Amino acid sequence: MFATVITAAAATTVAAPVAGLLARRAIVRSGNARRLRITGSQGIDDQYFTRIGGLDQWISVRGEDRANPVVVELHGGPGSSNSILANVSRDWERHVTLVRWDMRGTGKTLRRSGAKGQGEVTFDRMLQDAVEVVEHIRERLGVQRVVLLGCSFGSAIAMRIARSRPELVDAYIGTDQKIFDGGRDTADYYAALDRLETAGKKKELAGVREMGPDQRTWSAEQFSHFSRFASATDPHTFAAMKSVVMKSLWYSPLHSLREIGTFFKSFMVSAAVLPSTAAFDDWADGTRFDVPFFMVQGACDLVNTPARARAFFDEVQAPVKEFTLIEDAGHFAVYKRPELFLDLLLTRVLPTLPRTRQGA
């Protein structure tokens, strides 16, 4: 969804002489690699491909203590790999074993087999893949259940697993939570129009008006255009893309220069999944969850607004539930303020887990 606006953010970030830029990148990547090292005898640091849904898909498993609870993170986009954020979330790995997965059409999974080798890139296929990943991790790490962390588009997948397969899940955390309402609420569309008009973006404004407010009629290309215009006029999201996403991608010791190109290509390959989601309705699917249920939203998020997430949350029935706003943050809030998210994990989420999975 964010391919074009991330490219714009990249242009403002990578604006120094090439030689000096590459030298600086090498120094920072080396320091990040040292910070990411896990050397303790109880730690785990595995990156590998495994067969998921008939496709070799990339998984990372990292943590300081194998006895800690397991958090399986589902990234957003679609196509926005969170593996680039390893340095941002490094402190989380002292308290949980963090599992990251590049979905089909994304990142290292995309690079492995190419765009034509990704098979069926649909929401249902991605949902089935996610269940397989959870079951794979349960067997590999010897745990009964995992904490599911769904990020933006990934929260739509993770929430469906938490609702329908509670036997796999210790707790659910949705951040930048994506809530579908069958197209009833068009406030986000008209808010984007207002921002484009205020910014004097006449061409973009005309294009969004021509699309109309009913997302159920939009093509994958139109979804991408709307996301670009909406995000580019959201100052908090645009700033986070520069300071968190692009900075992490450029300095990631886990990604080569060629893989930076794959990161952007992932959005184009994965966009095909978007039109099929426009008629989804999370209220109709059900608001009862048999697991602890947490939402964490940026108070200033104009992409997946906290108001819509809160409206759904208020109707959720769960053994434990809590809604947290991160002030002065938009989309990517928990990666903009990873220390606040860690505090939430330690003080709210992990205490709800069975004692055998709480770790130290």
Side-chain angles (χ1 to χ4, degrees):
M1 291 175 73
F2 299 114
T4 307
V5 71
I6 286 181
T7 304
T12 64
T13 303
V14 183
V18 173
L21 195 66
L22 291 177
R24 171 66 177 169
R25 179 174 184 264
I27 293 170
V28 176
R29 288 178 80 229
S30 178
N32 286 345
R34 288 193 296 273
R35 184 168 184 264
L36 289 178
R37 288 176 189 160
I38 294 176
T39 58
S41 61
Q42 298 303 311
I44 183 170
D45 183 6
D46 292 342
Q47 288 89 41
Y48 59 93
F49 288 91
T50 192
R51 205 73 174 169
I52 299 292
L55 176 69
D56 286 346
Q57 302 200 39
W58 183 86
I59 291 176
S60 166
V61 184
R62 289 177 45 87
E64 295 281 1
D65 189 340
R66 293 168 186 262
N68 282 340
V70 177
V71 174
V72 176
E73 177 193 69
L74 305 188
H75 65 70
S80 184
S81 170
N82 277 4
S83 59
I84 66 170
L85 300 171
N87 202 60
V88 173
S89 56
R90 177 65 180 96
D91 288 340
W92 303 355
E93 297 166 353
R94 307 185 195 288
H95 307 276
V96 300
T97 296
L98 183 60
V99 177
R100 286 193 158 124
W101 158 50
D102 281 1
M103 299 179 189
R104 65 175 65 225
T106 300
K108 294 179 184 291
T109 297
L110 173 60
R111 187 166 180 80
R112 174 83 162 196
S113 304
K116 294 183 179 179
Q118 297 303 295
E120 184 185 15
V121 184
T122 65
F123 187 89
D124 286 346
R125 180 64 263 177
M126 289 178 173
L127 177 57
Q128 292 174 48
D129 286 352
V131 172
E132 286 190 38
V133 167
V134 171
E135 291 177 333
H136 163 76
I137 290 299
R138 290 171 68 215
E139 181 177 356
R140 185 178 180 94
L141 298 184
V143 297
Q144 289 186 327
R145 291 178 296 276
V146 303
V147 175
L148 274 182
L149 171 60
C151 309
S152 194
F153 179 81
S155 69
I157 297 175
M159 194 166 72
R160 280 158 173 76
I161 299 174
R163 182 195 288 120
S164 63
R165 299 293 303 275
E167 75 279 7
L168 303 179
V169 181
D170 267 330
Y172 170 76
I173 312 169
T175 179
D176 301 336
Q177 179 71 50
K178 178 67 177 176
I179 296 294
F180 296 102
D181 69 350
R184 292 186 297 275
D185 185 354
T186 57
D188 294 350
Y189 171 82
Y190 288 107
L193 285 182
D194 289 343
R195 296 199 303 276
L196 286 169
E197 187 169 17
T198 299
K201 303 287 187 180
K202 294 182 180 180
K203 182 179 179 180
E204 293 85 347
L205 180 63
V208 174
R209 279 180 173 158
E210 184 178 354
M211 290 164 56
D214 188 353
Q215 294 190 7
R216 293 169 296 181
T217 67
W218 293 1
S219 66
E221 184 179 11
Q222 286 175 318
F223 270 101
S224 295
H225 284 327
F226 180 78
S227 177
R228 177 185 70 189
F229 301 146
S231 302
T233 54
D234 174 356
H236 284 88
T237 294
F238 193 79
M241 286 175 176
K242 289 194 295 182
S243 65
V244 178
V245 179
M246 285 312 307
K247 183 178 179 181
S248 296
L249 174 63
W250 183 244
Y251 291 124
S252 170
L254 305 178
H255 295 80
S256 67
L257 285 173
R258 288 185 177 181
E259 286 180 292
I260 292 176
T262 304
F263 180 85
F264 294 110
K265 186 178 181 179
S266 299
F267 293 94
M268 294 181 285
V269 173
S270 300
V273 74
L274 294 172
S276 67
T277 67
F280 286 0
D281 189 335
D282 285 311
W283 275 272
D285 289 342
T287 56
R288 176 174 175 175
F289 293 82
D290 295 326
V291 301
F293 188 95
F294 299 86
M295 278 190 186
V296 189
Q297 299 290 116
C300 304
D301 191 348
L302 300 180
V303 178
N304 293 333
T305 62
R308 182 178 292 185
R310 181 74 204 211
F312 181 84
F313 174 87
D314 285 344
E315 295 191 28
V316 165
Q317 296 174 299
V320 176
K321 71 173 189 175
E322 186 163 341
F323 187 92
T324 301
L325 279 178
I326 296 181
E327 299 297 334
D328 198 30
H331 217 60
F332 309 108
V334 304
Y335 304 103
K336 183 75 173 176
R337 298 298 305 274
E339 76 286 357
L340 294 183
F341 181 70
L342 177 57
D343 182 69
L344 173 75
L345 272 177
L346 295 178
T347 63
R348 297 291 188 267
V349 180
L350 298 189
T352 70
L353 273 54
R355 286 189 173 275
T356 55
R357 297 304 306 158
Q358 287 186 33

